[in-house]
Amino acid sequence: MASELPPGLRAALERELTGVSRRDLADRAAATSRAYRAGRGSAGVIRGRDDALAYALTRLPATFAACAAAFGEAQARAPGFVPASLLDAGCGPGGGTWAAREVWPSIASVDWLDASAPFLDLARRLAAGIFEARITRGDMATATPAAADLVLASYALAEVAPAQQVEVIDRLWDATLGLLVLAEPGTPAGYARILTARDALVARGASLLAPCAHAAPCPLAAPDWCHFAVRLPRSRDHKVTKQADAPFEDEPYAYLVAARPRVVGAPAQARILAPPRANKPGIDLKLCTPEGLERRFVPRRDKAAYATARRLSWGDAS
């Protein structure tokens, strides 16, 4: 799945950057990153238009790429699913919506829910002339979300107090007509939020399509955690604002795709949980399967299996 921002979104970001000091954006982006790492929510971090723009320039490409990867796997697991409506809960500047529309051009109706006025204003400006969204300014912990075929909450559950997360997941599931997709940072804390959501959704009778190969308790034990990574290119402004030299970055993410019974789909038979390790005798794979964790060795002498294994990457279905 492509991780580069679509042309319309790139052009909209460039328009927003006209006449804006890159040094100021870099300072704001650094302050924002420190605040988020300290556990502060968006309400205390994104105070105005320039804060929202600094966030979008530095983080929107990564959240877009992570959502695009999760959506690509959802599409692979349920190829007949063609959503007409989307709810992006905790939408921020709207990167997840752009990713969804790239994967499913069938989406004609979009609802945004977010508590941040600066984020919602920026999301509206970025989408101007390309698509429209119905906007609800509200807290995910208390708002009643609009029903949609596809419901997304990306990099949003951290904004919800731990004691309220299951209640929020229940509301999002109640709003889901087809698929619910959750994406979080690929950290132990992000994975813990995904795991909480997973348990709640299994209890509600949801079918898990990805990344899990089963609905049994997750077989991973600390300090291990389920996460993946997507590589995305950095624009010149992205590099300047992040004060980085590399032309790309790798975004770690954790995700979950849950389906209603009306969606025809099935999980993978196995999921690769770590980068394959190639050595002279063959390739080692770490897999999640319906039977639990499995270490699979594919010998070089098995030419057909080895050729297949060489094409596999971290996060792929196997």
Side-chain angles (χ1 to χ4, degrees):
M1 185 58 57
S3 59
E4 188 171 354
L5 297 181
L9 180 53
R10 292 201 307 272
L13 280 170
E14 289 170 4
R15 288 194 300 271
E16 290 290 319
L17 291 168
T18 302
V20 178
S21 166
R22 303 308 194 264
R23 177 182 291 276
D24 178 64
L25 287 180
D27 291 343
R28 289 177 183 272
T32 296
S33 294
R34 290 193 298 270
Y36 276 126
R37 286 196 296 270
R40 294 171 61 191
S42 293
V45 177
I46 307 300
R47 299 178 180 273
R49 177 172 179 151
D50 287 345
D51 290 333
L53 181 57
Y55 176 93
L57 187 58
T58 56
R59 289 298 302 154
L60 189 151
T63 56
F64 171 90
C67 288
F71 290 146
E73 188 58 29
Q75 186 182 54
R77 303 269 58 86
F81 177 65
V82 184
S85 56
L86 165 70
L87 165 66
D88 191 346
C91 63
T97 295
W98 286 82
R101 294 181 76 254
E102 287 291 293
V103 175
W104 290 290
S106 57
I107 293 173
S109 173
V110 176
D111 281 276
W112 282 336
L113 169 63
D114 204 286
S116 170
F119 270 155
L120 290 170
D121 289 343
L122 177 58
R124 184 192 296 111
R125 294 196 306 273
L126 292 176
I130 299 176
F131 66 89
E132 294 184 357
R134 288 181 295 271
I135 293 176
T136 300
R137 185 180 175 193
D139 191 331
M140 284 179 60
T142 57
T144 300
D149 296 329
L150 173 65
V151 175
L152 168 68
S154 65
Y155 293 70
L157 292 177
E159 302 281 331
V160 179
Q164 295 178 296
Q165 287 177 9
V166 170
E167 182 181 353
V168 168
I169 292 300
D170 281 341
R171 284 202 190 99
L172 294 176
W173 182 241
D174 288 341
T176 301
L177 303 177
L179 293 185
L180 171 61
V181 179
L182 307 174
E184 287 288 309
T187 61
Y191 163 66
R193 291 189 287 272
I194 291 290
L195 200 58
T196 295
R198 183 184 189 273
D199 291 343
L201 290 167
V202 169
R204 291 287 305 274
S207 298
L208 303 183
L209 297 188
C212 310
H214 55 81
C218 179
L220 292 176
D224 201 359
W225 73 99
C226 184
H227 67 294
F228 308 95
V230 60
R231 176 161 290 187
L232 59 136
R234 284 178 172 148
S235 68
R236 179 180 178 278
D237 284 322
H238 192 180
K239 288 189 289 183
V240 169
T241 307
K242 296 199 77 168
Q243 302 179 25
D245 295 323
F248 63 86
E249 68 179 58
D250 293 317
E251 171 69 9
Y253 67 99
Y255 77 103
L256 189 70
V257 179
R260 287 286 186 184
R262 75 176 184 87
V263 176
V264 178
Q269 289 300 303
R271 178 76 56 190
I272 300 175
L273 295 185
R277 297 175 58 185
N279 50 49
K280 192 171 183 178
I283 298 175
D284 286 302
L285 300 174
K286 178 183 178 181
L287 303 174
C288 179
T289 75
E291 289 72 40
L293 292 180
E294 177 185 334
R295 295 281 184 174
R296 183 178 301 171
F297 176 71
V298 182
R300 186 183 295 266
R301 65 176 179 273
D302 187 340
K303 294 184 178 180
Y306 183 80
T308 298
R310 284 189 63 188
R311 294 191 292 270
L312 295 174
S313 300
W314 182 16
D316 286 350
S318 172

